[in-house]
Amino acid sequence: MSHIRGKDTSIEVLVRSYLFRRGLRFRKNDRRYPGHPDVVLPKWRTIVFVNGCFWHAHANCKAFSRPKSNVEFWSVKLMRNGERDRLQHAQLVADGWRVIVVWECELAKPVREARLARLYDQITAMPDGQPGIIDDTIPAGGKGEPGTIV
């Protein structure tokens, strides 16, 4: 467990490299914001979180499985991580930021390029975009189309 990194993971580097190649400039792991976001794009008033499916208990994901040992500990820990994420995202939205969540499973080779292109479009489509959470894996408010602003 001591070798698990909290920042500069391979998926974060992948997303940042893509955004930089597309000409976007950003701050990384900025401690001034709740959750120390992986990518902060002040010009676009957008924050991007790149979440690992295990650590953030990605619902309905083939890459996520609950540990078989020490079940109580892991259940509490993963539930706490999810609750913390929701609170941090809500705070960022209240502060006027758009929050985009990119999941590890969305960066698998077969779908990687499409997801990264969609991420770029989500960032640049609305320079004065309304605050909200964009998570392509959950329907907005439990209904509607995935990828809409919650």
Side-chain angles (χ1 to χ4, degrees), residues 24-97:
L24 297 178
R25 298 302 178 251
F26 50 82
R27 296 185 200 122
K28 63 178 202 149
N29 305 109
D30 197 330
R31 298 182 73 78
R32 292 179 288 181
Y33 305 104
H36 310 144
D38 301 312
V39 177
V40 178
L41 299 124
K43 175 182 177 181
W44 302 97
R45 198 83 179 132
T46 301
I47 286 178
V48 178
F49 285 95
V50 183
N51 288 349
C53 294
F54 174 76
W55 293 107
H56 298 271
H58 189 197
N60 303 320
C61 176
K62 293 177 185 175
F64 172 69
S65 65
R66 293 211 180 271
K68 305 285 188 271
S69 62
N70 208 359
V71 175
E72 184 178 335
F73 167 80
W74 284 108
S75 295
V76 170
K77 179 170 183 56
L78 296 175
M79 186 173 25
R80 223 176 33 234
N81 287 352
E83 183 58 32
R84 184 194 65 224
D85 289 346
R86 281 186 288 284
L87 291 173
Q88 291 168 347
H89 295 174
Q91 178 62 49
L92 290 165
V93 169
D95 291 343
W97 290 89

Side-chain angles (χ1 to χ4, degrees), residues 82-133:
E83 183 58 32
R84 184 194 65 224
D85 289 346
R86 281 186 288 284
L87 291 173
Q88 291 168 347
H89 295 174
Q91 178 62 49
L92 290 165
V93 169
D95 291 343
W97 290 89
R98 274 187 304 150
V99 177
I100 300 175
V101 179
V102 178
W103 290 96
E104 179 180 18
C105 61
E106 294 179 306
L107 297 173
K109 282 196 182 224
V111 294
R112 178 181 300 162
E113 287 304 315
R115 177 58 180 119
L116 291 173
R118 197 167 65 250
L119 172 63
Y120 179 82
D121 291 342
Q122 288 171 332
I123 292 168
T124 60
M126 300 180 289
D128 299 339
Q130 65 188 35
I133 300 170

